[in-house]
């Protein structure tokens, strides 16, 4: 008789499927009052506790991990080289993502034949595109403590990089401080392992709540748009990232996806790139063999500026709304969409729903009615979950590629097969 227990990843998948099934049943057969009661007393508390537990670690882990990573690089020129390569890669894949999305949307034409009207849409909140130089100015924190309290990831990253560089520059005097920060970092990583044991419960609660209130009814009028976004996300994840891993990294992309998919599930259920940072860091380092010095830089930075999934939604939504109002975008206007959406995705916070506000910038840039956003809000919560999974996958793929380009990827770990028994024992020993 086989007494092997289920791995954590398997438990998360079961919880996800069970949550979807429960949400559908509740939506179809329970009254609104009962659903609100279940959500208020059970699902919301459980889901929020799981989210808060993960988010609790984001700021201290990013700070400590990045300081340790930068200090361990030692060579300032190497840090600059990794930074430039990473930013170029992120901007390129984001521009590629939105171009791919617009190409797919122009082929499928989700707005043609759809029985929806912009005139009936409600007024939505709009956003003004930021002056590009303000983005650079605002990267520098006037008060790093305030930046940590607010969770301003870009400012935290800049402070941590400078702090780590200066530890390196003072040499032997900084070793004691670096050892202490490294020990704190180890404790935080262990906390991730402990918190992740509750992931199946949190995933069940989060997905159940969404499906319970969204249902499948909201999906039907926008099914063509919904499927266009999903197809674009799948192409970006499998084809673009898979090709990048193979061509730029010389690696087997199947190995990557086999080990990283549990993190994609966590990203899917939380809808937050920032909340997934601790889990993504742990997986990239321990299961994929990425260098800690590289991962601690690329993962937090990616969660802040690399939003390929969000860019895809903006590209498809722009074509969808233009087709609804009968406007044919010119090549020049499409290029403006690519540029604006790329810059907007860089400034999009890694929290649920931020992409919708940024979409208004893109629409205003090409003269399309922002009221069209209201039409896609009914399915955006589900799409937000999917595009977050793509966002974090792009960050991880970049981490592996950059680690390998610096000859710091542990290929033995990357190419190793997953030992479920070993994984289970590691989970149990964490308690």
């Amino acid at each position: 008789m086989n007494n092997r227990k289920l791995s954590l990843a398997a438990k998360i998948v079961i919880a996800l499927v069970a949550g979807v099934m429960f949400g559908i049943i509740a939506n179809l057969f329970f009254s609104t009052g009962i659903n609100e009661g279940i959500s208020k007393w059970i699902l919301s508390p459980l889901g929020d506790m799981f989210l808060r537990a993960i988010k609790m670690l984001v700021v201290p882990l990013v700070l400590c991990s990045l300081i340790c990573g930068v200090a361990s690089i030692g060579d300032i020129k190497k840090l600059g080289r990794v930074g430039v390569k990473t930013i170029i890669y992120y901007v390129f894949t984001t521009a590629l993502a939105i171009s791919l999305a617009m190409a797919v949307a122009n082929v499928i034409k989700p707005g043609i034949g759809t029985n929806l009207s912009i005139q009936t849409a409600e007024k939505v909140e709009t956003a003004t595109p930021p002056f590009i130089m303000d983005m650079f100015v605002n990267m520098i924190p006037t008060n790093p403590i305030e930046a940590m309290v607010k969770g301003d990831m870009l400012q935290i990253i800049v402070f941590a990089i400078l702090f780590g560089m200066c530890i390196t520059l003072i040499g032997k005097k900084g070793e004691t401080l670096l050892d202490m920060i490294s020990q704190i970092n180890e404790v935080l990583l262990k906390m991730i392992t402990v918190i992740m044991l509750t992931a199946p419960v949190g995933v069940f609660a989060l997905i159940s709540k969404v499906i319970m209130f969204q249902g499948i009814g909201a999906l039907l009028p926008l099914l063509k748009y919904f499927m266009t976004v999903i197809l674009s996300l799948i192409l970006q994840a499998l084809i673009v990232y898979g090709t990048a891993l193979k061509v730029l990294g010389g690696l087997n992309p199947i190995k990557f996806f086999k080990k990283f998919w549990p993190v994609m599930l966590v990203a899917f259920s939380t809808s937050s790139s920032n909340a997934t940072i601790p889990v993504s860091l742990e997986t990239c380092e321990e299961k994929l063999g990425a260098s800690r010095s590289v991962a601690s830089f690329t993962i937090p930075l990616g969660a802040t500026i690399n939003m390929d999934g969000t860019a895809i939604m903006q590209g498809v939504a722009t074509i969808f709304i233009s087709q609804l109002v009968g406007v044919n975008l010119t090549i020049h206007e499409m290029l403006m969409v690519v540029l604006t959406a790329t810059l907007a995705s860089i400034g999009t916070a890694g929290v649920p729903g931020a992409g919708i506000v940024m979409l208004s910038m893109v629409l205003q840039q090409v003269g399309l009615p922002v009221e069209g956003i209201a039409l896609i809000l009914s399915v955006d919560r589900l799409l937000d979950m999917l595009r977050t999974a793509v966002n974090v996958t792009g960050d991880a793929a970049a981490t592996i590629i950059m680690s390998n380009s610096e000859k710091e990827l542990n290929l033995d770990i990357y190419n190793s097969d997953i030992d479920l028994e070993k994984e289970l024992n590691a989970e149990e020993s964490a308690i």
Side-chain angles (χ1 to χ4, degrees):
M1 182 176 177
N2 189 357
N3 291 322
R4 174 176 290 182
K5 298 180 182 179
L6 290 173
S7 68
L8 177 61
K11 292 176 183 176
I12 292 176
V13 172
I14 293 171
L16 183 69
V17 174
V20 170
M21 293 176 63
F22 177 78
I24 292 174
I25 291 171
N27 179 265
L28 294 176
F29 301 108
F30 296 173
S31 67
T32 302
I34 292 175
N35 285 342
E36 289 177 350
I38 293 173
S39 174
K40 179 180 179 180
W41 289 95
I42 301 175
L43 300 181
S44 288
L46 289 175
D48 290 345
M49 283 190 289
F50 174 63
L51 270 181
R52 290 172 71 95
I54 296 180
K55 290 180 178 179
M56 171 180 66
L57 301 178
V58 171
V59 170
L61 181 65
V62 168
L63 181 68
C64 294
S65 183
L66 198 48
I67 289 173
C68 293
V70 170
S72 66
I73 287 178
D75 185 359
I76 304 301
K77 291 182 179 179
K78 178 182 174 183
L79 175 65
R81 184 173 68 246
V82 172
V84 170
K85 286 194 298 185
T86 302
I87 291 172
I88 290 174
Y89 176 87
Y90 281 156
V91 172
F92 176 75
T93 56
T94 300
L96 186 61
I98 188 170
S99 301
L100 174 66
M102 294 176 72
V104 172
N106 276 308
V107 171
I108 297 178
K109 302 186 185 303
I112 303 298
T114 302
N115 188 24
L116 293 170
S117 173
I118 293 290
Q119 285 69 32
T120 61
E122 300 175 0
K123 187 174 180 61
V124 295
E125 180 184 356
T126 61
T128 304
F131 179 49
I132 189 167
M133 295 312 296
D134 287 343
M135 294 173 60
F136 293 106
V137 172
N138 293 332
M139 288 168 56
I140 312 298
T142 55
N143 184 343
I145 304 300
E146 182 184 19
M148 294 175 204
V149 171
K150 291 182 177 180
D152 191 324
M153 296 308 300
L154 200 54
Q155 292 188 0
I156 294 170
I157 289 169
V158 170
F159 175 77
I161 291 173
L162 185 59
F163 197 96
M165 288 170 57
C166 291
I167 287 180
T168 301
L169 292 174
I170 64 174
K172 197 174 182 68
K173 293 180 181 178
E175 289 180 0
T176 302
L177 177 60
L178 182 59
D179 287 342
M180 184 177 70
I181 296 175
S182 297
Q183 290 168 10
I184 294 173
N185 193 53
E186 291 297 328
V187 173
L188 293 170
L189 290 171
K190 181 58 68 175
M191 289 177 69
I192 297 170
T193 307
V194 174
I195 290 171
M196 282 306 296
L197 296 177
T198 67
V201 176
V203 167
F204 175 87
L206 290 167
I207 191 65
S208 294
K209 182 180 175 182
V210 172
I211 302 297
M212 177 186 291
F213 292 107
Q214 294 283 120
I216 57 175
L219 177 62
L220 296 178
L222 293 165
L223 186 59
K224 205 172 178 182
Y225 163 78
F226 189 87
M227 298 308 297
T228 303
V229 176
I230 289 180
L231 176 60
S232 301
L233 291 171
I234 291 173
L235 291 174
Q236 179 73 12
L238 297 182
I239 306 301
V240 175
Y241 298 151
T243 301
L245 285 164
K246 185 66 177 176
V247 175
L248 299 179
L251 301 165
N252 182 354
I254 296 176
K255 295 280 187 183
F256 171 83
F257 287 109
K258 281 178 68 176
K259 295 182 179 182
F260 194 73
W261 68 265
V263 181
M264 297 171 70
L265 290 180
V266 174
F268 176 81
S269 60
T270 61
S271 298
S272 173
S273 298
N274 285 345
T276 316
I277 287 175
V279 192
S280 190
L281 269 172
E282 182 187 43
T283 300
C284 285
E285 292 174 18
E286 297 184 8
K287 296 183 179 180
L288 291 168
S291 162
R292 175 166 295 185
S293 60
V294 174
S296 61
F297 176 80
T298 55
I299 294 294
L301 183 65
T304 307
I305 72 169
N306 186 42
M307 297 286 176
D308 295 349
T310 302
I312 285 172
M313 178 276 291
Q314 292 170 347
V316 174
T318 301
I319 299 298
F320 172 70
I321 292 170
S322 71
Q323 290 171 350
L324 282 180
V325 297
V327 173
N328 291 319
L329 297 179
T330 64
I331 296 296
H332 176 264
E333 287 173 327
M334 288 188 186
L335 290 174
M336 285 301 299
V337 170
V338 173
L339 177 62
T340 307
T342 300
L343 293 175
S345 69
I346 291 174
T348 301
V351 295
I356 281 292
V357 178
M358 296 300 173
L359 176 58
S360 65
M361 296 183 191
V362 179
L363 295 178
Q364 290 178 86
Q365 190 67 40
V366 290
L368 292 174
V370 294
E371 288 78 13
I373 296 174
L375 294 176
I376 63 177
L377 283 176
S378 59
V379 296
D380 189 68
R381 186 66 179 89
L382 292 171
L383 290 176
D384 196 11
M385 301 167 83
L386 291 164
R387 63 178 180 257
T388 302
V390 171
N391 288 341
V392 301
T393 304
D395 301 342
T399 299
I400 301 305
I401 292 170
M402 295 306 155
S403 290
N404 201 35
S405 72
E406 293 296 316
K407 311 298 183 188
E408 294 183 9
L409 181 68
N410 190 324
L411 293 174
D412 290 335
I413 294 178
Y414 183 88
N415 292 316
S416 65
D417 292 323
I418 300 174
D419 188 338
L420 295 182
E421 198 69 43
K422 184 179 180 181
E423 180 184 332
L424 177 63
N425 292 335
E427 293 163 12
E428 292 178 339
S429 66
I431 304 178

